[in-house]
């Protein structure tokens, strides 16, 4: 059956509803009314995100000799964030309404007039002259280390994982015996007190990043920048994300972050427009130079081939695991007609699918449930699988289509007689007969990604 066009009408609403119904994503603290722009991953969501992170780690760390992994702590010395420029520069201009107490970004298009002036009008309560002049608001979450809550005990929840890599660059270099050019990769939580979060898990206040910092000799940075830009795009298409929904966007001078000389976003065409979900940045030697200056510790590299000393340039690839999960879910979401019935299917790449297989006894009698259970116990030693004996076989297939499970294994009368089962392919709907004792190899072959 040919795949139909993926859905765009109300696509976000449909996905948010499916995500909750099927246990991909729940709102944080929902029974208390929810916590703004913080989300929890349910049983299927945690598997999907774990698979995305695992594929990223495999391609960035295990398959490359020149990249090492790292897991730095979330809490870091507060000077890190002075050196990185985040204390001074990671800010948004905000205005408050003194009447209704709402807070807005100063460039909120709904504000009429110039905030701070008597004629400016609050977009929520409509009061005139109650908006304060813009004040800079830092996006970093603060907390206190130890029992005394004063300025000296102030620490930040990291707004990016990259800094944990920079401050460990010498440790990794020396302990791994790498030579420039080489990279350090890390997956971890980051926090930003976003003023305008939203669009489900697109912009949240707590999220996960998958970042890699590649340290290169100055002068070779442009070449490496091009290399990584194309590598990252290729990785995404290998995950099955449709290439016509992906594009590069080069940052204009106004868009460049304080540390970047050049930057490209990889954008996806979300239902709310083309938006970034991964960035490739040429950060020059900005971060390492600043850390050298603020820490007083030499961060130069001595090139053993030429005896030259230099502070390496950094080419960064920075992806959000949550935003990538959103891209993967939106791109996989499809509504189709099968035999006159509507089905919702998540066409995940099999390696990303939360469940790889579901096992169904055709009917709950004639030895089928016993054999199905034995087969299920064997299959789940190899892959994440689900057992379902409830309702008609058609309904059971539909449930797994919605979860994005690529293979449905049915145990029927013939299975009891000759030890073969049928395997139904989620996308083509074709069924193949496979010997039950060959199932593990069969699935392994299909799931090699
Ligand atoms: N170290 C560079 C850096 O952090 P960024 O463009 O600010 O660069 C990189 O963030 C990626 O992190 C984004 O492309 C996005 O996928 C993810 N990200 C950033 N802020 C986010 C937020 N508030 N919610 C979800 N993901 C976010």
């Amino acid at each position: 059956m040919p795949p139909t066009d993926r859905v765009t009408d109300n696509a976000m609403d449909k996905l948010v509803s499916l995500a909750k119904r099927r246990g991909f994503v729940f709102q944080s603290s929902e029974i208390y009314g929810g916590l703004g722009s913080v989300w929890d991953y349910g049983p299927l969501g945690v598997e999907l995100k774990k698979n995305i992170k695992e594929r990223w780690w495999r391609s960035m760390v295990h398959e490359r000799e020149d990249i090492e992994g790292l897991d730095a702590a979330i809490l870091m010395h507060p000077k890190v964030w002075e050196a990185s420029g985040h204390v001074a520069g990671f800010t948004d201009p905000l205005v408050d309404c003194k009447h209704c107490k709402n807070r807005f970004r100063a460039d909120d298009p709904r504000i009429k007039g110039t905030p701070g002036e008597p004629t400016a009008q609050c977009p929520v309560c409509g009061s005139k002259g109650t908006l304060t002049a813009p004040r800079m608001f830092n996006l970093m979450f603060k907390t206190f280390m130890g029992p005394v809550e004063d300025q000296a005990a102030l620490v930040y929840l990291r707004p990016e994982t990259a800094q944990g890599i920079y401050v460990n660059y010498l440790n990794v270099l020396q302990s791994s015996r790498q030579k420039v050019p080489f990279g350090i990769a890390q997956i971890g939580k980051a926090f930003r007190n976003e003023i305008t979060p939203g669009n489900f898990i697109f912009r949240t206040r707590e999220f996960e990043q998958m970042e890699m910092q590649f340290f290169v000799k100055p002068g070779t940075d442009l070449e490496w920048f091009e290399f990584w830009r194309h590598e990252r795009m290729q990785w995404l298409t290998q995950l099955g994300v449709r290439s016509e929904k992906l594009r590069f966007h080069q940052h204009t001078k106004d868009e460049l972050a304080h540390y970047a000389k050049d930057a490209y976003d990889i954008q996806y065409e979300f239902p709310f427009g083309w938006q970034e979900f991964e960035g490739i940045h040429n950060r020059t030697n900005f971060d390492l130079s600043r850390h050298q200056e603020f820490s007083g510790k030499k961060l130069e590299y001595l090139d053993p081939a030429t005896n030259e000393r230099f502070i390496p340039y950094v080419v960064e690839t920075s992806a959000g695991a949550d935003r990538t999960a959103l891209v993967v879910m939106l791109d996989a979401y499809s509504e189709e007609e099968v035999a006159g019935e509507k089905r919702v299917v998540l066409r995940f790449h099999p390696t990303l699918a939360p469940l790889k297989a579901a096992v169904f006894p055709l009917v709950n009698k004639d030895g089928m449930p016993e054999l199905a259970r034995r087969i299920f116990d064997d299959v789940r030693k190899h892959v994440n699988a689900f057992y379902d004996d409830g309702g008609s076989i058609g309904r059971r297939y539909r449930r797994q289509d919605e979860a994005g499970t690529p293979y449905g294994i049915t145990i029927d009368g013939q299975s009891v007689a000759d030890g073969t089962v049928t395997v139904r392919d989620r996308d083509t709907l074709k069924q193949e007969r496979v010997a039950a004792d060959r199932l593990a190899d069969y699935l392994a072959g299909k799931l090699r990604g």
Side-chain angles (χ1 to χ4, degrees):
M1 194 199 54
T4 53
D5 260 4
R6 311 290 215 275
V7 173
T8 47
D9 284 354
N10 308 319
M12 280 303 280
D13 293 344
K14 286 178 174 173
L15 185 75
V16 174
S17 143
L18 173 76
K20 176 169 181 190
R21 190 171 76 250
R22 295 311 310 266
F24 282 92
V25 180
F26 308 124
Q27 199 184 6
S28 162
S29 322
E30 194 185 337
I31 60 169
Y32 289 98
L35 182 67
S37 292
V38 184
W39 298 87
D40 299 337
Y41 287 77
L44 294 183
V46 66
E47 294 290 335
L48 174 68
K49 196 156 107 159
K50 193 167 68 64
N51 292 339
I52 291 170
K53 291 187 286 183
E54 195 275 327
R55 290 265 338 230
W56 186 88
W57 193 261
R58 179 142 55 94
S59 80
M60 295 303 255
V61 183
H62 292 179
E63 289 176 2
R64 293 196 65 100
E65 271 185 273
D66 54 359
I67 300 185
E68 304 288 340
L70 179 75
D71 185 13
I74 288 168
L75 300 177
M76 301 180 74
H77 195 291
K79 275 216 155 154
V80 166
W81 305 109
E82 283 175 38
S84 70
H86 284 82
V87 170
F90 197 53
T91 50
D92 271 345
L94 290 191
V95 300
D96 291 298
C97 174
K98 287 186 263 185
H99 183 246
C100 69
K101 310 288 180 220
N102 272 295
R103 183 169 263 194
F104 315 91
R105 277 175 66 121
D107 58 0
D108 189 320
R110 298 171 305 161
I111 295 177
K112 294 198 186 85
T114 308
E117 293 191 359
T119 49
Q121 203 176 327
C122 171
V124 171
C125 70
S127 308
K128 265 195 180 164
T130 55
L131 293 181
T132 62
R135 282 178 305 177
M136 294 314 270
F137 173 80
N138 196 291
L139 301 186
M140 283 194 292
F141 277 99
K142 302 179 180 77
T143 188
F144 298 97
M145 192 125 148
V148 185
E149 296 194 0
D150 66 7
Q151 189 63 24
L154 183 69
V155 288
Y156 300 97
L157 302 189
R158 67 181 175 203
E160 62 170 6
T161 58
Q163 299 302 324
I165 293 181
Y166 301 138
V167 300
N168 276 297
Y169 134 84
L170 271 190
N171 286 336
V172 175
L173 182 71
Q174 287 157 2
S175 59
S176 63
R177 303 179 61 231
Q178 287 281 359
K179 291 191 177 63
V180 167
F182 82 107
I184 305 177
Q186 149 153 258
I187 298 176
K189 290 270 188 176
F191 303 82
R192 296 183 190 178
N193 201 358
E194 299 279 4
I195 307 311
T196 46
N199 281 324
F200 191 35
I201 52 172
F202 178 79
R203 181 169 287 113
T204 56
R205 295 194 166 108
E206 174 177 342
F207 54 98
E208 245 178 318
Q209 289 188 314
M210 309 185 287
E211 295 200 304
M212 192 280 295
Q213 314 297 318
F214 205 72
F215 300 89
V216 305
K217 189 173 176 176
T220 64
D221 49 311
L222 299 187
E223 220 175 289
W224 280 110
F225 185 65
E226 283 307 297
F227 172 83
W228 280 111
R229 197 154 83 74
H230 290 106
E231 272 296 289
R232 294 306 304 147
M233 186 61 105
Q234 205 183 344
W235 184 76
L236 289 161
T237 50
Q238 279 166 4
L239 291 190
V241 181
R242 288 167 294 165
S243 51
E244 67 270 25
K245 289 279 192 177
L246 296 168
R247 72 175 189 195
F248 283 115
H249 164 73
Q250 186 175 19
H251 281 206
T252 60
K253 269 211 160 70
D254 292 346
E255 288 172 289
L256 281 177
H258 60 274
Y259 50 71
K261 167 169 144 189
D262 195 3
Y264 278 85
D265 291 340
I266 299 181
Q267 295 186 330
Y268 181 77
E269 192 179 13
F270 290 91
F272 44 90
W274 287 95
Q275 293 285 340
E276 164 205 356
F277 68 105
E278 170 152 2
I280 296 93
H281 313 128
N282 183 343
R283 292 181 75 136
T284 69
N285 58 6
F286 174 84
D287 300 272
L288 289 184
S289 303
R290 295 273 293 186
H291 285 305
Q292 176 166 288
E293 182 190 333
F294 278 67
S295 68
K297 174 128 174 105
K298 278 245 167 296
L299 296 179
E300 283 173 343
Y301 176 74
L302 173 66
D303 190 333
T306 60
N307 266 343
E308 257 180 287
R309 278 181 194 278
F310 56 83
I311 296 187
Y313 268 42
V314 169
V315 174
E316 166 183 65
T317 73
S318 174
D322 312 81
R323 256 187 223 182
T324 307
L326 180 58
V327 165
V328 165
M329 284 194 280
L330 281 168
D331 206 64
Y333 188 97
S334 182
E335 286 177 7
E336 304 168 353
E337 275 224 352
V338 175
E341 247 190 74
K342 187 180 128 185
R343 77 160 179 167
V344 171
V345 55
L346 289 175
R347 294 173 172 274
F348 291 133
H349 189 282
T351 59
L352 297 185
L355 292 159
K356 309 302 185 202
V359 177
F360 315 116
L362 184 60
V363 287
N364 282 315
K365 56 181 186 183
D366 301 335
M368 290 179 224
E370 294 76 10
L371 179 59
R373 272 269 159 211
R374 278 208 300 282
I375 289 172
F376 174 58
D377 285 343
D378 186 46
V379 164
R380 68 198 168 114
K381 283 191 197 119
H382 305 278
V383 296
N384 195 26
F386 188 79
Y387 187 85
D388 190 359
D389 60 3
S392 74
I393 192 74
R395 287 192 55 180
R396 284 182 267 168
Y397 283 151
R398 292 298 100 82
R399 283 201 287 263
Q400 290 310 313
D401 289 344
E402 263 195 351
T405 310
Y407 304 107
I409 300 165
T410 303
I411 285 77
D412 54 16
Q414 187 178 333
S415 311
V416 179
D418 69 4
T420 63
V421 296
T422 63
V423 182
R424 169 198 184 257
D425 183 294
R426 174 198 68 201
D427 299 336
T428 63
L429 302 180
K430 289 215 177 82
Q431 308 221 7
E432 241 187 293
R433 271 211 105 83
V434 177
D437 57 8
R438 276 201 51 243
L439 263 179
D441 284 348
Y442 176 89
L443 291 175
K446 297 268 187 196
L447 293 167
R448 215 162 280 136

